[in-house]
Amino acid sequence: MNEQLLNRVLRQAEALCARRGARLTPQRRRVLELVCRAERPIGAYELLDQVRDGGKAAPPTVYRALDFLLEQGLIHKLETLHAFIGCTHPDHPHSSQFLICADCGKVTELEDAALLGSLHSAAAESGFSPQRPVIEVIGTCARCAHKPDRPAD
Amino acid sequence: MNEQLLNRVLRQAEALCARRGARLTPQRRRVLELVCRAERPIGAYELLDQVRDGGKAAPPTVYRALDFLLEQGLIHKLETLHAFIGCTHPDHPHSSQFLICADCGKVTELEDAALLGSLHSAAAESGFSPQRPVIEVIGTCARCAHKPDRPAD
DNA sequence: ACCAGGAATGTAACGATATAACAGCCCCAA
DNA sequence: TTGGGGCTGTTATATCGTTACATTCCTGGT
C-alpha cells in the first residue's frame, strides 16, 4: 500500500471509528498502519516484533488490536496463511474474496457479486444461512504466470 | 458417518490406493476411520488421543497419516477450524465447499459447479490461475435455524 | 534366500499461533 | 470525587504443527 493510499485509509479509519463511537487508540492505529504498510500479509508475531521495536510487548497486545481492527472491518484475516492484510475500502461493510499468489505471496482482494450470489444460492439449497463466508484462492497471479519459471534465483 | 457409509468409504479408499500404488497402511487406515467416525470435524490432537488409546504416539504419527490422506483426497482439512473431516465421495478428485454450522458444528460438503464457475470467472478477470480454492462458509444450518434459540441448555 | 534402498514409523525436542487470567491504569460521567 | 468501563501490561499456558534423526519394515533385484 503506497503512502497516499495509506493516508487515505488511516483518515477513513479515524472517521469510521469516530462515527461508530469506537476508539482508534494510538496502539490500534499503529498496528493498522503496520499491517497496511506491509506489502504482503503479515503475521501476528511479525507485527509483534515491529510493535516492540526494542521495547517490550506481549502477544495479547497485538491480538487485541487485531481483534478490534477486524471488528471494525479495517483489516482482513487470511485463514489459510494465519496472516492479516489491510482493507483498501473499509468505508462499507463487505465480504471479500482473496486471490493469493503462491509464488510471490501478493494478495488481491475481490468483491465479486456474482460469486457471492452463487454462494448464497448454493447455501440456500441446503437451507443454510451464511454468516461469514471465507473464500481464499491459492494460485498464480498474472505477473508470476508470465515469468519464465523461476528466473535464475 | 454411519457404519454402512463408513464401510463403503474404507473399501473405496483401499481400492483407490491400490490402483494408485499408494500404501494405505494400518496406521493410515486407522486414522481415516477415526476421522470418518467423528460426527464433526476432528482436530489432530484429538485424533492423537484416540490413536494413543493407552499406548504412546507423538504428533508426527497423526500428522503424517493426515498428510497422506489429504494427498489421496480421502479427507479434507477445514482451514477455519484447524480440523479434518472424511470425504464422502473420494472416488473422483474434486474441490469442495463447506457449510459449517456455528451452532451445532456439523459440516456439509458441497460440490457446486455454478459456484466454482463464478470463482474461476472472477479469478480470470484478474488474470489469476486458481490452484486450490478454499471455500468455507460459517453460518447456521437448517436444523439449528428452526430451533427456538437455545432450548433450555 | 539375500541384501540394498526407499518408504514408513518412532521419538524427542522445538516452533508458531493464539488465548486465559489477573492486575493496573486512565478517563469520563454521575 | 469516586466508581465503573474500556484499554493496556504481564505472566503463563493452551493449541496447532514441524524438524531432525534413529529405527523398522517392506519390496524389488539378484
Side-chain angles (χ1 to χ4, degrees):
Chain A
M1 197 179 284
N2 64 43
E3 206 67 20
Q4 192 183 343
L5 180 51
L6 175 64
N7 282 323
R8 186 166 64 69
V9 165
L10 287 178
R11 267 184 285 111
Q12 280 189 353
E14 272 160 15
L16 275 172
C17 288
R19 200 181 314 150
R20 294 171 182 161
R23 291 166 59 187
L24 186 65
T25 63
Q27 186 97 256
R28 291 166 173 173
R29 199 190 136 98
R30 176 114 186 269
V31 170
L32 174 58
E33 185 173 341
L34 289 171
V35 172
C36 288
R37 280 192 187 282
E39 280 302 304
R40 315 221 181 298
I42 185 169
Y45 277 70
E46 209 177 332
L47 279 168
L48 182 54
D49 285 342
Q50 296 186 228
V51 167
R52 274 200 262 253
D53 189 30
K56 67 209 161 194
T61 297
V62 163
Y63 280 104
R64 285 196 281 233
L66 290 171
D67 285 345
F68 173 86
L69 298 171
L70 285 169
E71 270 168 26
Q72 300 300 323
L74 298 172
I75 63 174
H76 297 291
K77 173 164 191 179
L78 295 169
E79 297 287 348
T80 53
L81 302 179
H82 306 287
F84 304 82
I85 58 172
C87 180
T88 50
H89 49 291
D91 47 293
H92 63 290
H94 57 286
S95 146
S96 312
Q97 302 90 47
F98 302 97
L99 306 178
I100 303 170
C101 182
D103 190 3
C104 68
K106 286 225 174 117
V107 174
T108 304
E109 179 178 350
L110 296 183
E111 208 180 335
D112 190 279
L115 178 44
L116 272 181
S118 303
L119 189 148
H120 280 268
S121 305
E125 280 182 34
S126 311
F128 189 93
S129 310
Q131 280 152 30
R132 188 170 79 92
V134 172
I135 303 182
E136 300 177 14
V137 187
I138 321 290
T140 313
C141 72
R143 260 182 76 79
C144 290
H146 293 141
K147 281 192 306 194
D149 183 41
R150 288 272 155 211
D153 281 34
Chain B
M1 198 179 281
N2 64 44
E3 207 67 19
Q4 193 183 342
L5 180 51
L6 174 64
N7 282 323
R8 183 165 66 67
V9 165
L10 286 177
R11 268 186 283 112
Q12 279 189 354
E14 274 161 14
L16 274 172
C17 288
R19 198 182 314 150
R20 293 171 184 163
R23 292 166 59 188
L24 186 64
T25 64
Q27 185 98 256
R28 290 165 173 174
R29 198 190 136 96
R30 175 115 187 270
V31 170
L32 175 57
E33 187 174 338
L34 288 172
V35 171
C36 289
R37 280 193 187 280
E39 281 301 305
R40 316 217 182 300
I42 186 170
Y45 277 70
E46 208 177 334
L47 280 168
L48 182 54
D49 285 343
Q50 296 187 226
V51 166
R52 274 201 262 252
D53 190 29
K56 68 210 159 193
T61 298
V62 162
Y63 279 104
R64 285 194 282 233
L66 290 171
D67 285 346
F68 172 86
L69 297 170
L70 285 169
E71 269 169 27
Q72 300 300 322
L74 299 172
I75 62 173
H76 297 291
K77 173 165 191 177
L78 295 170
E79 299 286 347
T80 51
L81 300 180
H82 307 287
F84 304 83
I85 58 172
C87 179
T88 50
H89 48 294
D91 47 292
H92 64 289
H94 58 284
S95 147
S96 313
Q97 303 90 46
F98 302 96
L99 306 178
I100 303 170
C101 180
D103 190 5
C104 69
K106 286 223 174 120
V107 175
T108 304
E109 180 178 348
L110 297 183
E111 207 179 336
D112 190 280
L115 177 44
L116 273 180
S118 303
L119 188 147
H120 280 267
S121 305
E125 279 181 36
S126 311
F128 189 92
S129 309
Q131 279 152 30
R132 188 170 80 93
V134 172
I135 303 182
E136 300 178 13
V137 187
I138 323 289
T140 312
C141 72
R143 262 183 75 79
C144 291
H146 292 142
K147 282 191 306 194
D149 182 41
R150 288 276 156 208
D153 279 37

